[in-house]
Structures are given as structure tokens and as C-alpha cells.
Amino acid sequence: MELRIGIADNPQPITVTLPESTDREAVKTSVEGALRGKAPVLWLTDEKGREIAVAASRITHVELGPPGSNPIGFG
């Protein structure tokens, strides 16, 4: 599942590929909590096990790809 996060003052969004086993509703709940100010940082774990932190105050928008979406290609 692909997640794209827009960051203030950054022209390119951050793209994170989450494991297919990731609970979609849990991701949405975490994002909503960060956007509502309940958490200062949005923590995500990508498909390679890397942990990514995004300052909640800098998030401008979030796109969550459809379930089972696995982009193929160069980029």
C-alpha cells in the first residue's frame, strides 16, 4: 500500500510503501490523530522495516493508495 504525504515548503511529497499486511484503518487513525494535534509526530514503518517520522505540524495532505496497490516501474 502506498502512502504519499505532502510536507509544507517541500515541492515533492514523501512516498512510503507500507507492507501489504498493514492495517489500513490503523494508518488512517494514526494520520487523523497527527492532523488533529493528538500526536506531534506521525510514525510509519515501510515495507523494508525502516521507521519514518514526519512532524505532524508540517503535513499538508495525505494520499492513501488503494488496497493491494503495488506500483511497478522506475520511480
Side-chain angles (χ1 to χ4, degrees), residues 5-14 35 54-62:
I5 304 170
I7 304 296
D9 300 323
N10 187 2
Q12 296 294 326
I14 295 171
L35 294 175
V54 180
S57 63
R58 306 297 295 160
I59 297 173
T60 60
H61 68 278
V62 177

Side-chain angles (χ1 to χ4, degrees), residues 46-66:
D46 73 3
E47 66 183 356
K48 294 181 180 179
R50 296 177 292 202
E51 293 183 327
I52 298 137
V54 180
S57 63
R58 306 297 295 160
I59 297 173
T60 60
H61 68 278
V62 177
E63 297 174 26
L64 185 57

Side-chain angles (χ1 to χ4, degrees), residues 6-24:
I7 304 296
D9 300 323
N10 187 2
Q12 296 294 326
I14 295 171
T15 301
V16 180
T17 303
L18 303 173
E20 288 303 316
S21 61
T22 302
D23 181 354
R24 185 179 184 83

